[in-house]
Amino acid sequence: MLAITAARFDKDAPSAGVEVGDRPEPAPDEGWTTVSVRAAALNHHDIFSLRGVGLTQEQLPMVLGSDAAGVDEDGREVIVHAVIGDPSAGEDESYDPKRSLLSEVHNGTLAEKVAVPRRNLVPKPPELSFEEAACLPTAWLTAYRMLFERAGLEPGAALLVQGAGGGVNSALIRMASAAGYRVYATGRSEAKRDGATRLGAYAALPPGERLPERVSVVFDNVGEATWSHSLRCLRPGGRIVTCGATSGQAPSAELNRVFFLQLSVLGSTMGSRAHLERLAEYCARSGVRPEIDRVLPLAQAKEGFAAMERGELFGKVVFTV
Ligand SMILES: NC(=O)c1ccc[n+]([C@@H]2O[C@H](COP(=O)([O-])OP(=O)(O)OC[C@H]3O[C@@H](n4cnc5c(N)ncnc54)[C@H](OP(=O)(O)O)[C@@H]3O)[C@@H](O)[C@H]2O)c1
């Protein structure tokens, strides 16, 4: 079958390690099943994998990808939940310390077929296209939990999203605007800032610029490049919700500011199968849909990886099979 693999690691030019080629079809274990992938989406996680984060040389070639929507062995349209956990560890696989994401231990979704535990299948609502549904399992699920579970926002509160066009960030802007929050976003170009306001942001500013007001919550997955600004944008008692560190994981903690202003830093990672099911229903009912930058045939996957590496995207890259 056609599959996109990480063939080698390259810290400086990760996309150079992408290989498009033939791989054996998956042979599912007991309790697992095979999904015929119709659409799969790209995440920054795949760029980190190509840099050698979370994978070892011995695991290569590894099929990349943690997002997919497709058809199961019984012909049902499904979304694939990407978090693989031990069922005995509880309902929320993301709290299992031994959990993995598809493409970390087991082959991922950027292929004609992917093997997954049967319990990881979520029905795809008919209102969503395969392309839209494929955007939900990683970036959108993470944004959904950050916004609706972790942030603890008062209705109508002001918030900031650091970055505009990323998968997680465009999801945060879209869902938070639809939910009636006053959303500020930063974007690295005028086009990205325009995109943020198109998604519903109240205002979009260049990185580091002073906001017209202090906000209750900042969503920051950029890390070193934005952390200090995130702390400065919070009102006393405010919260940063973080799920990533794209530009580096070790900014100054600025502890004086954290304790003096009684700020909280909240981590968030992925979500449970139940969250994914609720997210899919939320999208179906609300009309909120993932922002898709481009749709490419799987065979042209390299083009999508290169665009993400260059930071050119506004929204998700989706590959069709
Ligand atoms: N913990 C989890 O469960 C989880 C789940 C999903 C993602 N993540 C993490 O969250 C991060 C975002 O993932 P993604 O898939 O949404 O990535 P992405 O689509 O590549 O988006 C990257 C985002 O970072 C912003 N950014 C701002 N300054 C940056 C800088 N100096 N360098 C690089 N990027 C900068 C970009 O802003 P512009 O719009 O201005 O370009 C863009 O919004 C990654 O670190 C990823 O690993 C974690």
Side-chain angles (χ1 to χ4, degrees):
M1 64 170 186
L2 179 66
I4 309 305
T5 55
R8 61 191 168 281
F9 301 135
D10 190 328
K11 280 196 165 52
D12 302 321
S15 303
V18 174
E19 203 157 276
V20 181
D22 264 337
R23 297 294 301 158
E25 289 207 0
D29 292 335
E30 182 69 26
W32 287 51
T33 186
T34 302
V35 172
S36 298
V37 177
R38 291 289 179 81
L42 183 63
N43 289 283
H44 215 93
H45 181 269
D46 300 305
I47 300 286
F48 279 126
S49 300
L50 289 159
R51 289 200 160 107
V53 179
L55 285 177
T56 60
Q57 195 69 41
E58 294 67 46
Q59 290 176 281
L60 303 185
M62 174 67 88
V63 179
L64 291 164
S66 51
D67 279 347
V71 177
D72 74 5
E73 285 170 340
D74 300 320
R76 286 176 302 212
E77 298 189 348
V78 293
I79 307 176
V80 172
H81 179 43
V83 186
I84 312 294
D86 181 342
S88 65
E91 279 300 293
D92 190 338
E93 312 82 0
S94 65
Y95 282 111
D96 175 358
K98 293 201 174 125
R99 69 169 189 271
S100 68
L101 201 60
L102 282 173
S103 80
E104 289 177 347
V105 175
H106 307 280
N107 279 316
T109 56
L110 301 188
E112 287 175 295
K113 291 193 172 171
V114 60
V116 289
R118 204 165 266 119
R119 72 194 189 100
N120 279 46
L121 300 184
V122 167
K124 179 184 88 60
E127 293 87 344
L128 299 182
S129 67
F130 281 109
E131 287 84 350
E132 289 163 346
C135 298
L136 302 187
T138 304
W140 273 69
L141 178 66
T142 302
Y144 178 81
R145 173 181 244 172
M146 291 169 85
L147 178 64
F148 293 124
E149 190 179 276
R150 300 293 278 151
L153 282 157
E154 296 288 314
L159 60 88
L160 168 66
V161 179
Q162 291 284 16
V168 176
N169 294 331
S170 59
L172 284 166
I173 295 168
R174 187 72 192 87
M175 281 191 280
S177 306
Y181 297 112
R182 196 157 59 253
V183 177
Y184 294 94
T186 58
R188 290 184 289 177
S189 66
E190 205 173 332
K192 301 230 181 184
R193 295 191 286 278
D194 288 348
T197 44
R198 188 169 39 80
L199 291 184
Y202 174 73
L205 303 103
E209 192 157 294
R210 193 190 180 99
L211 303 187
E213 62 179 314
R214 300 218 177 206
V215 298
S216 299
V217 171
V218 177
F219 297 90
D220 188 331
N221 53 52
V222 179
E224 283 179 19
T226 50
W227 193 254
S228 181
H229 180 245
S230 295
L231 289 172
R232 280 182 282 119
C233 291
L234 284 172
R235 63 162 177 74
R239 297 174 289 285
I240 293 192
V241 186
T242 172
C243 73
T246 309
S247 65
Q249 60 153 352
S252 164
E254 298 192 41
L255 292 176
N256 286 354
R257 187 174 286 273
V258 172
F259 67 71
F260 193 69
L261 294 175
Q262 305 190 67
L263 307 179
S264 304
V265 176
L266 301 166
S268 198
T269 277
M270 299 294 290
S272 66
R273 183 198 177 282
H275 284 124
L276 181 59
E277 204 165 358
R278 286 208 297 275
L279 166 62
E281 196 181 324
Y282 165 87
C283 290
R285 278 177 199 264
S286 64
V288 165
R289 295 288 184 273
E291 177 74 6
I292 296 176
D293 181 282
R294 66 191 77 180
V295 178
L296 297 166
L298 187 63
Q300 287 174 31
K302 281 187 178 187
E303 199 180 315
F305 279 83
M308 178 170 275
E309 189 187 328
R310 290 194 296 264
E312 281 175 11
L313 301 170
F314 195 91
K316 301 289 295 173
V317 175
V318 178
F319 304 121
T320 48
V321 182

